[in-house]
Amino acid sequence: MSEILKIIQNRHSSRYSFDRKHQPSRQDLVQILEAARWAPTAHNMQNFEIVIVDDKKRLEDLGNIKSKISEEFLRENYQQLSFTEEELLQKKVGILGTMFPQSWRTPNDWGKVARESEPSSLDQTIRGSPVLLIVTYDARKRAPASEGDILGFISLGCIMENMWLMAQALGIGFQIMSVFGAESAEQDVKKIHAIPEYMRIAYAIRLGYPVSEPPKFLRVRRDIEGFVHNNRFGNRFL
Ligand SMILES: Cc1cc2nc3c(=O)[nH]c(=O)nc-3n(C[C@H](O)[C@H](O)[C@H](O)COP(=O)(O)O)c2cc1C
C-alpha cells in the first residue's frame, strides 16, 4: 500500500484525553500549519485565519465556557447512530451510539435533556489538550457566485484534512470540535481571543498525545462499489 494511503486510512478522531504536559513541539505545529498553507481553496482565496491557543490561562477560560445541547442536535445525531457493532458494520455509515450518554439515545428524553440539563463546559470537550487551533473565516467574503459560500466551506474542509493528515504522519492526536463554532459558544470564544466580529469560527481542533493507551473505536466506511457509479448513476464500476 502507498505511504499516503496508509496515512489516510490511519487518520482518525482522537476522542480521548490528552496529556496536559506533553505539548506537540513548535516544529511539528509549524509543519501542520505548512500543510494548511498548501491546501486547495476555491479561487485560491485562502479565506482562513488560525488562532493557536497554547496559553494556560486562555485554555482555562475556554474550558469554562458553557454550551447547551439543542433538541435539534439530539434528534439529528440519533439518526446517525448504530446501537451495536454488528449494526454499524452492516450500515457502514455513522457512529456507535455507546459513545454518547444514555439520555441522548432515548428519543423520549430529548426535550427534557435540551430544556433541563445543565450546560456542559468546553473543558469536557478539550479534555486536557495542551494546544488548540481555532479555524476562522471572514464571513464578509464568499467564493465567486457560490451560493451560501459552499465552495468556501469546502475549502475550510480541505484545510482541515491537510492538517489532519500531517498530524497523523507526525503521530499527534487530533480531534475536531464543532462546538466552538456553535451558536452557544462562538461569541464567548471570540471574546477570549479578540477575534473580530466579522470573523466566524468554522471549527476548532484539539491536538495532543494520549494520557494512556488510547481506546480503539470501530471505524466503518462504505465499500467503493457502494458509492461509485460508472457513466450512469446506478451502473456499477467495481
Ligand atoms: C466538518 C466536520 C465536523 C466534525 N465535528 C466533530 C465534532 O464536533 N466532534 C468529533 O468528535 N468529531 C467531529 N468530526 C469527526 C467525524 O465525526 C469523524 O471524522 C467521523 O466520525 C469518522 O471517524 P474518523 O475520523 O475516526 O475516521 C467532524 C468531522 C468533520 C469533517
Side-chain angles (χ1 to χ4, degrees):
M1 201 196 305
S2 70
E3 281 307 306
I4 182 79
L5 191 55
K6 258 189 239 165
I7 295 170
I8 289 170
Q9 290 183 338
N10 289 332
R11 179 217 54 78
H12 61 277
S13 296
S14 302
R15 295 194 186 96
Y16 38 74
S17 298
F18 291 153
D19 184 348
R20 277 175 214 283
K21 298 197 193 91
H22 192 179
Q23 186 162 341
S25 70
R26 193 174 176 83
Q27 197 186 353
D28 283 355
L29 280 180
V30 171
Q31 288 213 69
I32 291 171
L33 297 169
E34 189 66 20
R37 184 174 165 237
W38 284 102
T41 56
H43 273 71
N44 195 21
M45 283 175 66
Q46 302 173 52
N47 181 11
F48 65 95
E49 305 286 329
I50 300 176
V51 180
I52 299 184
V53 190
D54 57 0
D55 172 72
K56 283 203 175 58
K57 170 76 173 77
R58 288 219 165 80
L59 283 167
E60 211 178 288
D61 290 346
L62 282 176
N64 288 331
I65 293 175
K66 302 259 193 256
S67 161
K68 218 168 155 43
I69 196 93
S70 70
E71 197 171 340
E72 180 189 35
F73 175 86
L74 291 168
R75 186 175 53 250
E76 293 176 12
N77 176 58
Y78 184 80
Q79 288 161 5
Q80 305 305 324
L81 301 184
S82 285
F83 298 94
T84 60
E85 291 202 348
E86 292 68 39
E87 187 188 344
L88 185 58
L89 282 166
Q90 206 197 351
K91 272 202 206 159
K92 299 183 179 150
V93 299
I95 39 189
L96 207 53
T98 45
M99 289 193 343
F100 300 101
Q102 180 66 47
S103 56
W104 292 25
R105 294 180 256 147
T106 315
N108 286 341
D109 289 356
W110 292 338
K112 194 166 156 29
V113 172
R115 270 190 319 275
E116 295 171 22
S117 64
E118 281 295 306
S120 59
S121 64
L122 288 195
D123 201 36
Q124 289 166 269
T125 311
I126 296 169
R127 292 173 79 177
S129 176
V131 56
L132 309 179
L133 307 183
I134 304 176
V135 179
T136 68
Y137 62 96
D138 185 338
R140 300 170 303 182
K141 299 178 183 169
R142 71 167 185 173
S146 173
E147 202 180 322
D149 197 22
I150 188 160
L151 298 179
F153 292 124
I154 292 170
S155 306
L156 289 161
C158 293
I159 292 151
M160 177 195 289
E161 181 69 350
N162 265 25
M163 291 197 284
W164 209 333
L165 293 176
M166 191 69 234
Q168 175 65 33
L170 293 167
I172 296 173
F174 186 116
Q175 186 189 1
I176 299 297
M177 301 181 294
S178 302
V179 64
F180 276 62
E183 206 184 341
S184 56
E186 187 181 23
Q187 287 308 325
D188 292 338
V189 175
K190 283 170 69 171
K191 215 176 285 166
I192 290 170
H193 302 286
I195 296 171
E197 193 47 44
Y198 54 84
M199 299 298 289
R200 295 289 314 270
I201 296 175
Y203 50 85
I205 299 161
R206 54 188 285 275
L207 295 174
Y209 299 95
V211 255
S212 51
E213 185 59 33
K216 290 254 176 299
F217 293 106
L218 176 62
R219 297 174 61 238
V220 295
R221 292 299 191 270
R222 292 178 293 163
D223 303 315
I224 292 174
E225 52 268 42
F227 61 88
V228 175
H229 310 260
N230 197 193
N231 295 313
R232 188 175 182 279
F233 204 92
N235 275 0
R236 289 181 71 139
F237 176 68
L238 285 183

